[in-house]
Amino acid sequence: TAALVAELWGDYKEHGTHAARERLILHYSPLVKFVAGRVASGLPQSIEQSDLVSYGIFGLIDAIDKFDPARGFKFETYAISRIKGAIIDELRSIDWVPRSVRAKARAVERAYSKLENELRRSPEDKEVAAELEMNEDELNHLLSQVSFTGLVALDELLGRQQASDSGGSATVGDTIADRAHDPVEMFEVDEMKHLLADAINRMPDRERLVLTLYYYEAFTLAEIGALLGVTESRVCQIHTKAILQLRSRLAE
Amino acid sequence: LDEVRAMHEECLEVETEVSYVRRLAQARIDIVSAELDRRASGGSVEDLVARLPNILADEHPRSDPAHSRLPLHLAPSMAITWQRGLEHLIGDSTLLNLPTLSVEELGETREQLRTLEREMSDRRRSLHRVIDGIESDLTARRRVDQT
Ligand SMILES: Nc1nc2c(ncn2[C@@H]2O[C@@H]3COP(=O)(O)O[C@H]4[C@@H](O)[C@H](n5cnc6c(=O)[nH]c(N)nc65)O[C@@H]4COP(=O)(O)O[C@H]3[C@H]2O)c(=O)[nH]1
Ligand SMILES: Nc1nc2c(ncn2[C@@H]2O[C@@H]3COP(=O)(O)O[C@H]4[C@@H](O)[C@H](n5cnc6c(=O)[nH]c(N)nc65)O[C@@H]4COP(=O)(O)O[C@H]3[C@H]2O)c(=O)[nH]1
């Protein structure tokens, strides 16, 4: 099969026929199921899996058109990175987090920033609620609407980190895609989290535990809730609060 | 403790590989099934390619965010060649030559892929039990350290 694939690549790169491209799309399309499944993990259920797969297929077609077989790298390496990049780019452009929810999240982040500057410590929940002119129930209700879980949310969180580090707007997702031509070092979600490790270590104990178990030990939030002895909805609120507090600190 | 962490890391890498082969096998099964349906009911290969988003999407909805798990590695290191056992099935020429294969060949390939997929699902389930066991052990130790 390797010879057949190489021949088809040669044929496609030379003649660019529609039929050759279609055969390559079919042959490599299973990669999209794999990547879309993993990038989708943690996204709200309102986002359709078939939409994510269709964004991923655009990424695969883009990879097929841009790939240079002569360079000797494995196509799968390049394709997986482009598929993930295409799904995340498309999600950003359709506002996967509704603007009204994003605005509320920003308000909570600003509250954390202001209070931490004033108090020189991590604020209590009731202080955050008071700053937002809400009671704690209203704050928790707001937090339940914002769910920053999964690789897409992590990629955005790091976009913040990178932006504050380098002053630019590229996210770590982009830099990893740029490195796609280096087949040895790829795909390491670890690398993304290494950048966050310092910031997570400086968080208050409970938030640090939730973030460490979710981002470094791949616990589900439900499992973390059971460990902490709180309800599922409560641990989701704690996680969202921890993320917004982390984001406010990274933005400085 | 370092040994437990090293074992955890190794299990995660194998789990990434096994999940990769499993998901590619599932995709191939579902594409071959769609091709067999196409032969029975008419329609072009072009239509099949246009329907890939539906064919490759999971049948069941995702679990809600509270039950989802961050994949710690996006994909396996591609330095591996998938030649053990039936794993070559995830890279063979079936999909390259899909419209030219006979109904019998498609049926046979699908059966082999199903065997591979079941093998991978079984291995994955047992790996998850081991990984989850190590993680609760690591967490228990961390809790002891913290108190
Ligand atoms: N949230 C979540 N749940 C998971 C995960 N892995 C397994 N499960 C759950 O565990 C059940 C059994 O999984 P399995 O033994 O791998 O057995 C699976 C697997 O062998 C196969 N399968 C799963 N997805 C596909 C697919 O897209 N295409 C094909 N052809 N087969 C699939 O069908 C069997 C039944 O699948 P389900 O009815 O979905 O039932 C699944 C699902 O409810 C996971 O990563 N996340
Ligand atoms: N330690 C441990 N690790 C686990 C467990 N379940 C899944 N994983 C790992 O965590 C990844 C994400 O799982 P997910 O959030 O449920 O996200 C899953 C899920 O939404 C979906 N999926 C996969 N297989 C099935 C299935 O058989 N049925 C259903 N309904 N969904 C599935 O595709 C996504 C990606 O699947 P994968 O690439 O296999 O990636 C999986 C797998 O590598 C577990 O119980 N313990």
Side-chain angles (χ1 to χ4, degrees), chain A residues 18 22-23 26 31 33 38 41-42 44-45 47 49 188-189 193 209 217-219 221-223 232, chain B residues 20 31 46 56 58 62 64 66-70 72-74 91-92 95-97 135 139 142-143:
Chain A
H18 185 70
E22 211 167 58
R23 290 173 72 195
L26 263 179
L31 289 174
K33 182 176 179 82
R38 286 163 97 83
S41 161
Q45 286 169 306
I47 297 176
Q49 189 75 13
E188 284 318 310
V189 179
K193 291 178 309 187
L209 182 67
E217 310 276 350
F219 276 60
L221 288 180
E223 288 168 346
E232 231 170 78
Chain B
Y20 176 78
I31 291 171
E46 204 87 13
L56 295 175
D58 288 322
R62 277 193 301 285
D64 65 279
H67 291 88
S68 69
R69 210 174 281 278
L70 194 75
L72 292 180
H73 298 290
L74 177 62
D92 73 9
L95 297 185
L96 282 176
N97 298 326
E135 282 169 2
T139 310
R142 175 183 290 119
R143 304 282 284 181

Side-chain angles (χ1 to χ4, degrees), chain A residues 1 4-5 8 18 22-54 57 74 76-77 80-81 84 147 149-151 154 183-184 186-190 193 205 208-209 212-223 227-228 232 236, chain B residues 5 8-9 12 15-16 19-28 30-31 45-49 51-82 88 90-99 124 131-132 134-136 138-139 142-143 146:
Chain A
T1 315
L4 196 66
V5 176
L8 189 60
H18 185 70
E22 211 167 58
R23 290 173 72 195
L24 287 170
I25 292 170
L26 263 179
H27 180 67
Y28 290 112
S29 64
L31 289 174
V32 178
K33 182 176 179 82
F34 176 71
V35 178
R38 286 163 97 83
V39 172
S41 161
L43 286 174
Q45 286 169 306
S46 52
I47 297 176
E48 285 290 329
Q49 189 75 13
S50 53
D51 288 345
L52 296 171
V53 173
S54 65
I57 289 178
K74 260 195 117 145
E76 284 83 350
T77 304
I80 285 172
S81 171
K84 176 193 172 214
S147 151
T149 43
L151 277 180
L154 176 62
V184 180
M186 265 303 298
F187 306 140
E188 284 318 310
V189 179
D190 270 0
K193 291 178 309 187
D205 277 358
R208 189 179 65 233
L209 182 67
T212 305
L213 290 178
Y214 183 78
Y215 287 103
Y216 293 85
E217 310 276 350
F219 276 60
T220 66
L221 288 180
E223 288 168 346
L227 209 69
L228 290 177
E232 231 170 78
C236 290
Chain B
R5 284 226 170 92
H8 183 233
E9 193 42 47
L12 286 177
E15 195 279 341
T16 306
S19 288
Y20 176 78
V21 176
R22 174 179 181 267
R23 293 296 266 172
L24 263 62
Q26 287 172 358
R28 284 190 164 229
D30 297 341
I31 291 171
V45 177
E46 204 87 13
D47 293 345
L48 186 99
V49 174
R51 276 189 48 236
L52 279 175
N54 287 318
I55 297 167
L56 295 175
D58 288 322
E59 197 185 327
H60 301 295
R62 277 193 301 285
S63 40
D64 65 279
H67 291 88
S68 69
R69 210 174 281 278
L70 194 75
L72 292 180
H73 298 290
L74 177 62
S77 130
M78 285 297 150
I80 304 151
T81 48
W82 310 96
H88 65 280
I90 58 164
D92 73 9
S93 58
T94 303
L95 297 185
L96 282 176
N97 298 326
L98 197 66
R124 180 176 180 263
I131 290 168
D132 296 348
I134 295 176
E135 282 169 2
S136 43
L138 284 173
T139 310
R142 175 183 290 119
R143 304 282 284 181
Q146 265 182 348

